[in-house]
Amino acid sequence: MALFAAVSWCFAQGMRDKINVSSLALSLSSRIIFSVPLTMLVAVKLAILQAAWVALTVTSGIKAHTALVGLQEEGSMGAALKASLIIHLLALYWGIQVFHNVGYVSTSSSVAAWYFERASFDRGCCCFRPVVVEGLCRSLTYAFGSICLGSLLVAILETLLALARYAQSEARKGQNLVMVVVGCCFTCFLSCLEDIMKLFNEWAFIYVAIYGTNFVTAGKAVLNLVEEQGLRHMLTGVIADRVLLLGAVLSGAVGCANSVLIVMSAGEESAVSVSAVGGFAAIACTLFGALCLSPVGAGFRCLMICFVEAPRTLQAVQPALHDAFKELQLKALADAPPTAVGVPLGEPQYQRLVAP
């Protein structure tokens, strides 16, 4: 616990300059998302589709395994089973990523409409705004190819990571120390690569949502952002993710407490029953809270990209957040490496993917 506290303190010190901008951006993102609650409903429905996809792929994998065991000869059965396992793992991870990113791009499109086209965003009523449906349709049509490509890259890494963990587990059972060490190294490398790819996709899909570009062009825009601003904008998103995680945990704790109180007030005195109900409520409320808060995280990142692309637009509506973003930007420029002649890099020129 002392080591964990020390690491947390060091993390807080390193992120101290990002707390103010994260607070303001999360506050604005929350207001935008809760003015279009349909985004949260879309997130919940896509999560249901993810669960259905998991059930479908697992059932298909079991059926394929049974069929291969019954039909294939002993000599070729091993290779066929391994190929079937890899294909079903890839399909499982790919589908999960696609459903998640469809909701991510849809939410980013709605927040971008608030930023750039307020009249389009304000159409309809609070419970149903056409901008959310338009963003969902765009993510399922024009942007769907980019979503599938980016999701496939992550799914391949997740499949390789699952295979590496399986190989490491088999080596541990066989007490092969060399293969265990090699498996640990590959698992660590693939896990880091997967996290980097997911982080890259989060920012690339925002460019896809705003400009409707393909995944390759959006990836180049993200690389330009990293070259000009470093990783400050991306690391700011880490704080937002931790805050949203705490929000989901808080919703789980409140749900657990309410369910326990309801069960006890109904006259139930069995400790097992109360614990079971409380545990189920905690898990369900945490997952539901995380689903409802996931659009807020997407909106947070979208606001940062919108500021990078058009800072004056934010200055007119949210001057405090504009100043906080500008301060973060100036710190990134101050930390920029010097040029070949020793002169610090000047104000960056942001790449415009389309005409404003």
Side-chain angles (χ1 to χ4, degrees):
M1 293 300 295
L3 178 61
F4 178 77
V7 172
S8 300
W9 182 84
C10 292
F11 175 82
Q13 294 300 314
M15 297 293 182
R16 182 177 295 274
D17 61 332
K18 304 173 183 62
I19 293 177
N20 183 41
V21 65
S22 299
S23 174
L24 294 172
L26 274 175
S27 177
L28 178 58
S29 176
S30 300
R31 291 200 299 270
I32 296 173
I33 295 302
F34 281 94
S35 66
V36 281
L38 192 59
T39 56
M40 292 180 282
L41 181 61
V42 169
V44 172
K45 289 185 175 181
L46 288 173
I48 295 174
L49 291 177
Q50 282 181 322
W53 179 259
V54 171
L56 178 64
T57 51
V58 170
T59 303
S60 175
I62 295 175
K63 293 288 186 180
H65 180 273
T66 304
L68 287 173
V69 170
L71 298 178
Q72 295 291 337
E73 296 179 357
E74 185 67 25
S76 59
M77 184 178 63
L81 287 175
K82 291 178 181 178
S84 175
L85 172 63
I86 294 174
I87 292 173
H88 281 88
L89 275 178
L90 181 61
L92 172 66
Y93 293 131
W94 194 10
I96 291 175
Q97 287 294 319
V98 167
F99 285 121
H100 169 75
N101 291 325
V102 164
Y104 187 87
V105 172
S106 174
T107 302
S108 300
S109 298
S110 301
V111 176
W114 177 92
Y115 195 95
F116 293 108
E117 299 178 359
R118 188 65 61 84
S120 174
F121 180 84
D122 292 334
R123 288 179 299 146
C125 62
C126 176
C127 296
F128 179 81
R129 295 192 185 275
V131 66
V132 180
V133 180
E134 293 170 358
L136 180 61
C137 293
R138 193 179 301 114
S139 63
L140 291 173
T141 53
Y142 300 108
F144 194 68
S146 299
I147 292 174
C148 289
L149 177 57
S151 302
L152 177 61
L153 297 177
V154 176
I156 292 174
L157 291 175
E158 289 180 336
T159 302
L160 294 176
L161 181 60
L163 294 177
R165 287 172 176 167
Y166 174 76
Q168 181 183 356
S169 175
E170 291 297 315
R172 187 178 292 110
K173 291 179 181 179
Q175 297 183 352
N176 190 335
L177 180 60
V178 176
M179 292 305 298
V180 169
V181 173
V182 172
C184 286
C185 294
F186 272 102
T187 301
C188 180
F189 172 75
L190 291 173
S191 180
C192 293
L193 197 60
E194 177 195 1
D195 292 338
I196 293 173
M197 193 64 211
K198 286 182 177 179
L199 182 65
F200 180 85
N201 278 0
E202 288 177 351
W203 298 93
F205 284 143
I206 295 176
Y207 281 100
V208 172
I210 296 175
Y211 295 106
T213 59
N214 57 52
F215 183 76
V216 176
T217 305
K220 292 179 181 179
V222 175
L223 293 178
N224 289 337
L225 175 66
V226 174
E227 291 176 359
E228 295 170 357
Q229 304 293 336
L231 293 175
R232 285 187 175 270
H233 285 77
M234 295 185 178
L235 291 177
T236 306
V238 174
I239 297 182
D241 293 339
R242 287 175 178 261
V243 174
L244 295 176
L245 177 61
L246 290 176
V249 172
L250 178 61
S251 66
V254 173
C256 176
N258 288 336
S259 63
V260 170
L261 289 176
I262 292 173
V263 171
M264 294 181 66
S265 63
E268 181 63 46
E269 298 180 354
S270 174
V272 177
S273 300
V274 173
S275 301
V277 172
F280 176 79
I283 295 174
C285 292
T286 301
L287 293 177
F288 188 75
L291 285 175
C292 293
L293 289 174
S294 59
V296 178
F300 176 91
R301 287 169 170 78
C302 186
L303 286 174
M304 301 193 74
I305 295 296
C306 290
F307 166 78
V308 170
E309 293 297 306
R312 293 183 180 179
T313 304
L314 184 63
Q315 187 178 17
V317 293
Q318 293 288 332
L321 180 57
H322 170 272
D323 295 341
F325 274 143
K326 196 66 178 179
E327 181 181 357
L328 186 68
Q329 188 181 71
L330 292 176
K331 288 182 179 180
L333 293 175
D335 296 338
T339 60
V341 295
V343 180
L345 297 176
E347 185 74 17
Q349 299 296 323
Y350 301 112
Q351 179 185 9
R352 284 285 185 175
L353 301 182
V354 297

